Amino acid sequence: MGEQHVGEHPFDRLTPDFIIDAVESLGHLSDGRIFALNSYENRVYQVGLEEETPLIAKFYRPGRWTNEQILEEHNFCFELSESDISIVAPLRDESGNSLFEHEGFRFSLYPRCGGRAPEFDNLDNLFHIGQVLGRLHHIGSLKPFAHRPLLDVKSFGHQSADFIAEEFIPSALKLPYRSLVGDLLQLLDEIYQPHQQELIRVHGDCHVGNLLWRDETPHFVDFDDARMAPAIQDVWMLLSGDRERRTAQLSEIVEGYNEFNDFNASEICLIEAFRTLRMMHYAAWLTQRWHDPAFPKNFPDITGDRYWEEHILELREQFSLLQEEPLQLW
């Protein structure tokens, strides 16, 4: 795994004083209250202000995105907001800037927005989510990202598997892992290939944690993983439970979606493919971030054989699911 050197990660510089100085450099006056929010890829804080509503300050992980890629995400958010789509967009200063820098750290500010997690057992909620997604994807299809990456089998699958096999997986499990992912990636390539041209700008990480329900409306937050992908990427993570339940959920989302955009039913076959790619990418992400002290602290299990044995078992189950008939709309 390599020796963990405490205190050497750039995020160690994000002390309370540093965070307050960054926010106050934009003309805000902090009351000194800082609350760290749940985020591993970046660092996100609620910062209290004197006689004002607190702000959310997001400090970007160094080296992950270029300025152009971050600004593409921001501009996508502004497009959506200007079309009255319910999202939480970054704040802009008087000059229209939304990306700022303080002593080598890039950061952005967001309004604090309240809400609760959507109740996915309520099919009416899923219908409304589908409506918003249909509108969001209509805007997303109007032009491509020029700088942000694609969601594809190469980056999420092949590259993830290569990194895991070479850098992290226990020696005793390398052979069964390589054998399994070789077959799995071949199947994923075959499934994804017909859909390589069906790419639009999507949220990219559309799960319950990135949805706030308020005033009977879903509000989408955190577009940090926005990229070019088939539209189904923003749908499949909203589905859970047995096949019958997932079919009902999908059908309700699609019914709402079709009021504002044409849902491409041929992409349903990608649901289990994208679930598999997310599993592979997530495991690689954990290992690639191991030098960040937050990861050994919060994900200690990945240093043991059991984690990787279970990961291989999950991938075997996915290999079987990929060969089953995809969900059918009601």
Side-chain angles (χ1 to χ4, degrees), residues 268-327:
I268 294 175
C269 71
L270 294 174
I271 289 176
E272 292 305 327
F274 281 167
R275 191 188 314 277
T276 307
L277 289 173
R278 185 175 178 83
M279 289 177 179
M280 299 177 73
H281 183 261
Y282 178 75
W285 173 71
L286 290 179
T287 63
Q288 290 164 348
R289 298 292 185 255
W290 198 246
H291 63 284
D292 181 337
F295 282 72
K297 176 181 177 181
N298 290 283
F299 305 100
D301 292 348
I302 71 168
T303 60
D305 289 4
R306 183 173 179 180
Y307 176 90
W308 296 103
E309 290 168 351
E310 292 178 352
H311 180 61
I312 290 172
L313 179 60
E314 289 174 343
L315 293 182
R316 284 181 178 147
E317 292 172 349
Q318 285 303 119
F319 187 69
S320 296
L321 288 171
L322 287 166
Q323 298 174 76
E324 294 182 2
E325 285 293 318
L327 298 178

Side-chain angles (χ1 to χ4, degrees), residues 80-111:
L80 297 172
S81 292
E82 289 162 4
S83 297
D84 294 324
I85 296 174
S86 303
I87 69 142
V88 179
L91 298 172
R92 289 182 275 195
D93 65 12
E94 294 180 353
S95 300
N97 300 312
S98 58
L99 179 61
F100 310 102
E101 187 271 338
H102 181 71
E103 295 186 13
F105 263 100
R106 295 169 300 170
F107 71 101
S108 56
L109 300 179
Y110 292 79

Side-chain angles (χ1 to χ4, degrees), residues 188-198 266 269-270:
L188 288 169
D189 283 328
E190 293 172 1
I191 294 172
Y192 189 79
Q193 196 279 331
H195 303 277
Q196 292 184 90
Q197 305 305 317
E198 301 168 3
S266 71
C269 71
L270 294 174

Side-chain angles (χ1 to χ4, degrees), residues 46-239:
Q46 178 178 292
V47 180
L49 302 181
E50 292 284 356
E51 299 182 358
E52 293 184 54
T53 302
L55 292 174
I56 305 301
K58 173 180 176 180
F59 291 83
Y60 293 91
R61 178 175 290 274
R64 184 183 183 220
W65 296 127
T66 65
N67 286 353
E68 291 80 8
Q69 289 170 326
I70 294 172
L71 290 173
E72 263 196 332
E73 173 214 332
H74 289 189
N75 290 332
F76 184 35
C77 290
F78 299 143
E79 284 182 65
L80 297 172
S81 292
E82 289 162 4
S83 297
D84 294 324
I85 296 174
S86 303
I87 69 142
V88 179
L91 298 172
R92 289 182 275 195
D93 65 12
E94 294 180 353
S95 300
N97 300 312
S98 58
L99 179 61
F100 310 102
E101 187 271 338
H102 181 71
E103 295 186 13
F105 263 100
R106 295 169 300 170
F107 71 101
S108 56
L109 300 179
Y110 292 79
R112 186 187 67 174
C113 296
R116 55 183 172 80
E119 297 175 1
F120 285 174
D121 287 334
N122 185 330
L123 294 182
D124 287 340
N125 288 354
L126 291 174
F127 178 83
H128 290 312
I129 291 171
Q131 288 179 312
V132 178
L133 277 177
R135 297 177 61 209
L136 190 157
H137 287 171
H138 171 71
I139 301 298
S141 67
L142 297 180
K143 63 182 181 181
F145 284 134
H147 302 287
R148 295 185 75 83
L150 311 178
L151 193 167
D152 57 17
V153 180
K154 178 181 178 181
S155 58
F156 271 56
H158 290 275
Q159 292 176 1
S160 295
D162 288 345
F163 185 87
I164 290 169
E166 293 172 8
E167 302 289 339
F168 222 83
I169 199 164
S171 299
L173 298 175
K174 281 190 177 183
L175 184 58
Y177 178 78
R178 284 190 178 277
S179 176
L180 172 61
V181 297
D183 294 336
L184 190 56
L185 289 168
Q186 181 178 351
L187 181 56
L188 288 169
D189 283 328
E190 293 172 1
I191 294 172
Y192 189 79
Q193 196 279 331
H195 303 277
Q196 292 184 90
Q197 305 305 317
E198 301 168 3
L199 307 182
I200 62 171
R201 294 176 296 171
V202 300
H203 180 285
D205 194 25
C206 191
H207 57 75
V208 63
N210 284 332
L211 280 171
L212 295 175
W213 195 265
R214 188 177 70 251
D215 301 327
E216 302 305 315
T217 301
H219 302 265
F220 290 76
V221 303
D222 192 3
F223 281 71
D224 193 67
D225 285 299
R227 61 188 65 229
M228 298 293 294
I232 196 70
Q233 170 63 12
D234 282 350
V235 174
W236 75 264
M237 278 182 272
L238 304 175
L239 312 178

